[in-house]
Amino acid sequence: MTYRNVVSAVVRALASEVINSAGGCDFEPKVQKARIPGEISGKEAEFLFDCMVHAVLHKRLSKEHWRALTAQYSTHAERKRIAIGELVGTIQSPAPARFINCCVVTWAYPKLPGVEGKRSTNVLPAGWYEMDRWSDDPVPERTQHRWKAGIRKELKRLVDEALVEAQHILDMEGLISCQAA
């Protein structure tokens, strides 16, 4: 199996943490005519492959890069929360700690257009996205935007570095498709 690009590989690998087999009854036989007895195929093989890619990336990426990818792309709520908390402690900014925390959380859970938490569990309440609430002291709006831009730039840099490193790892393993579109 190969992935189209590094982002799809990372997203599938991180999603493999939350996939389970308790999704309902499957009465279709899993035996195929051309299948070798004992061979894993189909969705089960893809899932196993995603789990192996998860393990390879987790082992070979630096903790900083793994944390950034988990905060950005993971659907595992607890792992994402932990990664966000660890990221907050690494961000250098003149902004107060609460501002940095809120900025990183809203980066990891971006506000989706037209969604107010009704269809998705990964949407924060509307108040989280109001920068005026990110600090106890009144701060000029331009300063807030400057702090936010600096923090987001640092987070983007971390994710970009992590994706480049993941690309190298997956290329060495031959897991990225080389087909031109």
Side-chain angles (χ1 to χ4, degrees):
M1 181 175 157
T2 59
Y3 298 98
R4 287 188 325 256
N5 57 45
V6 68
V7 174
S8 66
V10 167
V11 168
R12 284 184 60 113
L14 288 169
S16 70
E17 285 188 302
V18 295
I19 296 172
N20 66 31
S21 62
C25 297
D26 185 4
F27 294 106
E28 290 294 317
K30 301 213 183 292
V31 177
Q32 300 168 354
K33 286 183 181 179
R35 186 173 165 192
I36 300 169
E39 180 185 20
I40 298 173
S41 64
K43 287 189 263 181
E44 290 85 9
E46 290 177 5
F47 174 66
L48 180 60
F49 197 80
D50 292 338
C51 291
M52 289 188 295
V53 168
H54 180 279
V56 167
L57 290 176
H58 187 237
K59 182 177 181 178
R60 294 181 56 192
L61 286 173
S62 70
K63 287 183 182 183
E64 178 181 55
H65 289 158
W66 182 253
R67 180 183 309 133
L69 291 178
T70 302
Q72 179 75 57
Y73 296 114
S74 182
T75 55
H76 190 288
E78 183 63 17
R79 296 218 197 298
K80 187 168 185 129
R81 186 190 64 74
I82 291 168
I84 290 167
E86 291 172 350
L87 269 178
V88 167
T90 65
I91 299 297
Q92 299 296 316
S93 173
R98 181 172 166 203
F99 189 95
I100 295 170
N101 184 60
C102 291
C103 190
V104 173
V105 169
T106 57
W107 166 80
Y109 294 102
K111 186 175 184 180
L112 303 175
V115 177
E116 295 179 8
K118 294 178 183 164
R119 292 179 19 206
S120 174
T121 59
N122 289 335
V123 178
L124 300 171
W128 270 90
Y129 299 100
E130 296 174 19
M131 276 194 301
D132 287 336
R133 295 181 174 196
W134 294 1
S135 179
D136 294 329
D137 301 322
V139 178
E141 191 173 332
R142 291 183 78 192
T143 303
Q144 290 177 2
H145 284 289
R146 189 179 72 247
W147 287 346
K148 180 181 174 183
I151 293 167
R152 297 278 172 101
K153 183 178 178 182
E154 178 69 13
L155 293 167
K156 181 178 179 355
R157 181 191 64 77
L158 282 171
V159 169
D160 289 347
E161 285 177 2
L163 289 173
V164 167
E165 186 59 30
Q167 176 81 42
H168 291 307
I169 293 167
L170 296 174
D171 282 343
M172 287 186 339
E173 301 291 334
L175 300 175
I176 300 291
S177 163
C178 295
Q179 297 174 346

